[in-house]
Amino acid sequence: MVKKIVLFVVLTSGLFSQDAYERNCVGCHKDLPTTLQQMFKEYLQTYSGEENVKAGLKHYLRYPSKSISVMSELFIDSYGIKKKTTLNKKELDEAINIYWNKFKVFDKLK
Amino acid sequence: MLVSKNKATNSLLKSEKKSLLRFLTLYVAMVIFMITLLSVFYYQSQEKLMLADQRASLTKYAYIQTKRLKVLHYFFDERTTYPRDPRFKSAIYDIEFMKIFSILNDESIRFDEEIYITNKHIHFVKTLDTYYLGTKYLIIEVEDDGAWRGEIWKHILGYGLIAFFLFMLFGLFLAKLFLKPMRDSIMLLDRFIKDTTHELNTPLSAILANIEMMDTGVMVDKNKKKLNRINIAAKTVSTLYKDLTYLTLEQEKQNEDEEIAVKPVLENRVEYFDILAKSKNITFVLSLQHATIFIDRRKFIRVIDNLISNAIKYNKRGGEIEIVLQENMLSISDTGIGVSEDKIPFMFDRYMRFNQSEGGFGVGLSIVKKIVDEYNIQIEVESKEGEGTKMVLKW
């Protein structure tokens, strides 16, 4: 019984220690050949500014479609379009903010 | 119309000078404004020309930098060193005008202009179609040595001065045209007076000589009064005649300067004008001390005659004329109509008359001014409308 409780605590604490981005994004993307950073650069190349990137990304996650995807046709043909997000607004914003802060170019150039 | 010129008409009247000065001030201001405006346009066009020259090389730099950004974009995060070039500095900004990275010396960027000059640099703003690293605006900066500016200033100063000089010459020509009608009318008047004066001489001399010769002792009072009136009228015309003769003929004569005792001259002239003064019940109040002056007697008498004659002419009936003579100072004051302060500067202009009810040509005080100026005698006018005028001569 004690072993079960310890195992449960370890598993749940591991789950809750992850942020919205890691919980909801990393898991699915790790199986794709294109990294999240490369995708970020695609977004950056298309939308440029922070507000623009976030808005573009949010819109795509809510209403995924081939016509507004930043990825190449070859990629979409191979891996298809993702499913519509089930995250609520708060969680989606949080995940996107973390994603931006993780890969933004600001302060990284020297 | 051809009219002869003499010395009197060659000099500018005060009112002429004022008109000329106003015209020239306006003209100079206009010329300066025009040259400044042209200089500004020239400067701007030269600046545009210089920037057009720079644009070609800056576009090339922007192209090179864009290619380097593209490479950096694809190899980011392995490479994080911003591409630098010794020929130029650059900066990258995103679509929201947020600075991504910059090595510019001057950070004042105008995103709405393609190429412009900042303090000591030239900026070229290139808008990218593909936002490598999020870059929407790529700014290329090169140093502006300002050599072109020095060249432009040299041109502006050089051509500006030449243009100013030419405009001034043209202005003088215009001013002459502008004054010509005024000059012509004055010369015509001079000519008329000269001709008229000549015809007055003989009859006037005859009248005055005959009055002097008449034996008043045997006359009845009624006739004495009539003769008196004739005498007054003849003396008035005589004074005017002398002024006009002086103005048209005598002033060009050689001066015969001498040391003159002023007191006897004044007494003589007061006696001469006494009959005229009495006709208006004007009394002379004299306070004469000994004083001398070095001057042409003829001219000095013209000054005294005009001042006394004016003091009588513009005095009220039963008024007073006070004449004070001290060493190097003579004042003649009346109790007449006076002149307002704003008209005093024009009192000495030829043909200037403030009171149309009195006769005359308005030449008396202009003669006085000419003579006192010639002998460096200072003349001061103190006048109050309705109270009187005081003329002070200092030498």
Side-chain angles (χ1 to χ4, degrees):
Chain A
M1 184 64 187
V2 176
K3 274 184 182 175
K4 281 182 182 174
I5 292 169
V6 170
L7 189 66
F8 178 75
V9 169
V10 168
L11 284 175
T12 51
S13 64
L15 194 66
F16 285 109
S17 65
Q18 289 179 327
D19 55 33
Y21 164 73
E22 283 173 359
R23 270 199 314 274
N24 303 304
C25 311
V26 177
C28 300
H29 276 269
K30 69 180 177 194
D31 300 328
L32 292 172
T34 306
T35 63
L36 273 162
Q37 186 180 13
Q38 279 168 323
M39 284 191 177
F40 182 85
K41 284 198 281 186
E42 292 297 328
Y43 273 99
L44 209 53
Q45 193 175 320
T46 311
Y47 293 105
S48 178
E50 180 180 356
E51 296 301 317
N52 249 11
V53 168
K54 285 179 179 175
L57 181 56
K58 196 170 171 182
H59 184 75
Y60 180 75
L61 294 175
R62 279 179 165 175
Y63 311 102
S65 113
K66 190 179 174 181
S67 62
I68 58 166
S69 172
V70 295
M71 299 309 286
S72 65
E73 278 200 24
L74 184 67
F75 179 87
I76 292 166
D77 289 344
S78 309
Y79 302 99
I81 299 292
K82 76 176 282 299
K83 283 178 191 161
K84 200 173 173 179
T85 184
T86 53
L87 296 179
N88 61 34
K89 187 181 176 295
K90 194 186 164 196
E91 206 165 6
L92 187 62
D93 284 343
E94 195 186 331
I96 290 172
N97 284 339
I98 294 165
Y99 184 48
W100 170 264
N101 288 328
K102 195 170 172 62
F103 297 112
K104 67 179 178 186
V105 181
F106 296 94
D107 306 327
K108 284 184 185 160
L109 287 170
K110 53 185 192 259
Chain B
M1 189 180 305
L2 279 174
V3 275
S4 64
K5 286 185 182 180
N6 63 23
K7 212 163 143 189
T9 51
N10 277 338
S11 60
L12 287 174
L13 296 179
K14 197 152 190 160
S15 52
E16 275 182 318
K17 273 185 192 164
K18 204 173 173 182
S19 301
L20 191 65
L21 198 73
R22 276 182 185 170
F23 168 76
L24 283 177
T25 310
L26 199 70
Y27 183 78
V28 169
M30 211 178 72
V31 165
I32 291 174
F33 176 73
M34 214 165 74
I35 291 177
T36 311
L37 206 68
L38 284 174
S39 303
V40 169
F41 285 145
Y42 177 72
Y43 184 91
Q44 284 177 343
S45 68
Q46 289 300 304
E47 190 183 86
K48 273 184 189 162
L49 213 65
M50 184 280 296
L51 288 177
D53 279 351
Q54 288 282 343
R55 190 192 304 267
S57 57
L58 290 171
T59 308
K60 187 180 78 187
Y61 294 156
Y63 176 78
I64 295 166
Q65 192 67 0
T66 309
K67 293 289 166 203
R68 288 171 180 164
L69 283 176
K70 186 179 177 181
V71 173
L72 184 65
H73 177 89
Y74 290 116
F75 290 98
F76 198 78
D77 218 15
E78 301 156 38
R79 298 180 197 172
T80 54
T81 308
Y82 183 79
R84 287 164 171 83
D85 194 302
R87 294 170 291 179
F88 60 89
K89 306 270 181 195
S90 66
I92 49 175
Y93 279 74
D94 70 15
I95 203 166
E96 288 148 18
F97 308 110
M98 291 294 291
K99 182 166 73 183
I100 301 168
F101 192 76
S102 171
I103 48 169
L104 297 181
N105 289 318
D106 191 339
E107 291 289 347
S108 49
I109 297 158
R110 295 177 225 155
F111 292 97
D112 54 341
E113 286 180 59
E114 191 191 14
I115 189 164
Y116 56 87
I117 302 164
T118 63
N119 207 7
K120 280 179 180 172
H121 301 92
I122 298 168
H123 280 177
F124 178 74
V125 181
K126 166 91 176 159
T127 310
L128 303 191
D129 297 324
T130 312
Y131 309 144
Y132 301 119
L133 295 172
T135 306
K136 163 84 174 171
Y137 301 102
L138 167 65
I139 293 98
I140 303 292
E141 180 188 86
V142 289
E143 290 232 349
D144 174 22
D145 59 4
W148 61 276
R149 206 175 274 119
E151 202 62 28
I152 290 174
W153 276 116
K154 256 191 233 167
H155 287 170
I156 286 177
L157 283 176
Y159 293 130
L161 279 174
I162 291 170
F164 186 77
F165 181 70
L166 289 176
F167 273 118
M168 283 302 105
L169 281 180
F170 183 64
L172 282 177
F173 172 72
L174 273 185
K176 274 191 175 176
L177 277 184
F178 178 66
L179 287 178
K180 199 173 181 299
M182 209 191 281
R183 276 285 167 88
D184 284 351
S185 55
I186 287 173
M187 279 195 282
L188 194 68
L189 202 54
D190 278 351
R191 174 75 181 268
F192 171 75
I193 289 168
K194 199 173 181 177
D195 294 346
T196 317
T197 313
H198 188 68
E199 300 302 320
L200 277 175
N201 188 17
T202 319
L204 195 59
S205 304
I207 294 167
L208 283 169
N210 280 296
I211 290 169
E212 290 297 319
M213 283 191 294
M214 272 186 168
D215 186 2
T216 51
V218 294
M219 275 186 187
V220 288
D221 280 354
K222 204 176 167 185
N223 286 343
K224 266 187 192 172
K225 272 188 184 173
K226 283 177 182 169
L227 184 69
N228 214 17
R229 279 186 212 133
I230 295 168
N231 198 6
I232 290 166
K235 280 187 172 173
T236 310
V237 178
S238 174
T239 309
L240 183 61
Y241 168 76
K242 283 172 189 163
D243 278 347
L244 295 176
T245 314
Y246 175 83
L247 197 67
T248 54
L249 303 165
E250 284 186 23
Q251 63 171 332
E252 283 167 35
K253 278 186 187 170
Q254 193 72 31
N255 281 347
E256 290 169 16
D257 296 342
E258 57 182 316
E259 194 79 22
I260 296 171
V262 182
K263 192 178 170 188
V265 174
L266 278 175
E267 284 168 344
N268 176 277
R269 298 327 289 166
V270 167
E271 194 188 332
Y272 178 83
F273 282 106
D274 193 46
I275 198 163
L276 207 64
K278 273 184 182 148
S279 69
K280 284 177 83 175
N281 283 331
I282 293 166
T283 48
F284 282 103
V285 180
L286 305 179
S287 168
L288 309 178
Q289 291 174 17
H290 174 73
T292 57
I293 185 168
F294 191 74
I295 195 170
D296 184 315
R297 180 179 289 274
R298 187 170 45 94
K299 290 188 174 178
F300 187 60
I301 288 172
R302 292 273 31 84
V303 172
I304 301 300
D305 276 12
N306 272 303
L307 294 181
I308 295 176
S309 147
N310 273 359
I312 294 169
K313 201 189 283 182
Y314 299 109
N315 215 329
K316 60 187 177 201
R317 289 192 80 79
E320 253 181 24
I321 295 172
E322 189 182 12
I323 303 178
V324 179
L325 174 67
Q326 290 167 0
E327 188 61 47
N328 301 332
M329 195 280 287
L330 168 67
S331 82
I332 297 173
S333 41
D334 62 54
T335 52
I337 52 171
V339 179
S340 62
E341 206 171 317
D342 57 320
K343 286 178 180 168
I344 290 176
F346 305 104
M347 274 176 83
F348 299 104
D349 273 7
R350 195 142 40 101
Y351 308 130
M352 186 56 80
R353 287 164 59 213
F354 298 128
N355 190 334
Q356 304 298 326
S357 64
E358 295 297 332
F361 286 88
V363 292
L365 283 180
S366 89
I367 292 172
V368 170
K369 185 76 167 83
K370 247 180 226 303
I371 297 169
V372 296
D373 282 352
E374 187 184 342
Y375 286 93
N376 291 322
I377 300 168
Q378 198 186 330
I379 186 162
E380 288 168 11
V381 183
E382 293 166 27
S383 191
K384 219 168 187 185
E385 255 182 313
E387 287 184 21
T389 305
K390 185 179 182 182
M391 310 288 269
V392 184
L393 300 180
K394 289 177 183 170
W395 63 90

